[in-house]
C-alpha cells in the first residue's frame, strides 16, 4: 500500500519496498505473489447416482510422492469435525499420475483404492491432508451446507497447479451426472 500526499493538486506517492520470503515459507513466487508449490491435489470429484462416489488425486509436482499417511476427510454438511477419514497407503505417485479412491459399490470406474466410508453428497466437504496433518486441498466449505456438487462431476481446470485451502467453484469444470474423466488428468 502506498502513502500519497497532495502537492499543488498533484499526487506524490511513495510505495515502501515489501519483500515476502516465499522460499522461506515453502512457497513459490509467481507474478510477485507467494503460492504453494505444485504437489498432490484433488483433480476430480464424482458425485453420481447411488454409490458412484470417486475422488481423484493428481501429482502436479516434478517428483514422485509417497501417499502414505495422506488422508481424505469427509465433513457432512454444517459440521466442522470429520465424520470419516480415509488413510492412503504406501503408493508412489509419479509426476503427472493420478490415484483414484472410490466406493466399493461404485460401477463407473475401478479405483486404486476402495472405501465404504466414501458416501458424500453435494453438500459435504472433503479435505486432503498431508502426513503432518496440514490441509493440502479442499472441496466444498467445511462447516457449511453449500450445495456445490450434487449429482455432477467436477474436474479441476488445467491452469490449477496446486491445492487450495479455500474452495472456489471457478477452479472446476462441471460434467453431467455419472460421467467422468477418471484415470488421468491433463493440466
Amino acid at each position: 500500500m502506498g502513502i500519497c500526499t497532495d502537492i499543488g493538486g498533484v499526487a506524490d506517492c511513495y510505495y515502501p519496498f515489501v519483500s515476502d520470503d516465499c522460499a522461506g515459507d515453502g512457497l513459490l513466487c509467481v507474478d510477485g505473489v507467494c503460492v504453494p508449490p505444485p504437489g498432490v491435489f484433488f483433480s476430480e470429484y464424482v458425485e453420481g447416482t447411488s454409490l458412484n462416489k470417486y475422488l481423484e488425486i493428481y501429482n502436479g509436482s516434478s517428483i514422485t510422492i509417497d501417499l502414505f499417511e495422506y488422508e481424505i476427510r469427509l465433513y457432512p454438511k454444517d459440521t466442522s469435525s470429520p465424520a470419516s477419514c480415509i488413510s492412503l497407503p504406501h503408493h508412489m505417485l509419479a509426476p503427472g499420475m493420478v490415484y483414484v479412491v472410490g466406493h466399493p459399490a461404485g460401477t463407473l470406474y475401478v479405483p486404486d483404492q476402495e472405501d465404504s466410508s466414501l458416501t458424500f453428497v453435494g453438500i459435504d466437504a472433503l479435505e486432503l491432508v498431508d502426513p503432518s496433518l496440514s490441509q493440502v486441498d479442499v472441496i466444498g466449505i467445511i462447516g457449511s451446507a453449500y450445495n456445490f456438487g450434487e449429482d455432477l462431476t467436477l474436474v479441476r481446470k488445467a491452469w490449477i497447479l496446486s491445492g487450495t485451502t479455500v474452495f472456489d467453484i471457478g477452479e472446476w469444470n462441471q460434467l453431467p451426472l455419472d460421467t467422468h474423466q477418471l484415470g488421468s488428468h491433463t493440466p
Side-chain angles (χ1 to χ4, degrees), residues 26-142:
L27 303 172
L28 297 175
C29 183
V30 177
D31 296 327
V33 178
C34 294
V35 297
V40 294
F41 59 92
F42 291 123
S43 53
E44 191 162 344
Y45 160 99
V46 178
E47 201 281 305
T49 55
S50 188
L51 292 171
N52 285 320
K53 314 293 182 193
Y54 301 90
L55 292 171
E56 181 182 80
I57 298 169
Y58 173 72
N59 182 356
S61 77
S62 60
I63 60 169
T64 297
I65 296 176
D66 187 355
L67 295 179
F68 182 63
E69 294 186 343
Y70 276 78
E71 195 173 84
I72 296 170
R73 295 177 175 179
L74 170 66
Y75 295 82
K77 72 173 185 170
D78 295 332
T79 63
S80 53
S81 297
S84 60
C85 299
I86 300 169
S87 297
L88 301 181
H90 277 294
H91 179 85
M92 302 308 287
L93 190 60
M97 301 305 290
V98 298
Y99 185 82
V100 179
V101 180
H103 193 281
T107 59
L108 298 177
Y109 186 82
V110 177
D112 298 297
Q113 178 178 341
E114 295 180 338
D115 195 293
S116 60
S117 65
L118 202 63
T119 57
F120 57 85
V121 294
I123 55 177
D124 299 328
L126 297 150
E127 176 184 47
L128 180 63
V129 296
D130 68 15
S132 70
L133 302 181
S134 295
Q135 187 181 68
V136 174
D137 201 6
V138 66
I139 301 174
I141 301 171
I142 296 170

Side-chain angles (χ1 to χ4, degrees), residues 163-187:
T164 181
T165 59
V166 178
F167 178 71
D168 179 359
I169 193 67
E171 292 185 354
W172 301 84
N173 291 314
Q174 297 182 14
L175 301 178
L177 179 68
D178 288 337
T179 59
H180 68 86
Q181 296 175 355
L182 295 166
S184 67
H185 180 66
T186 306

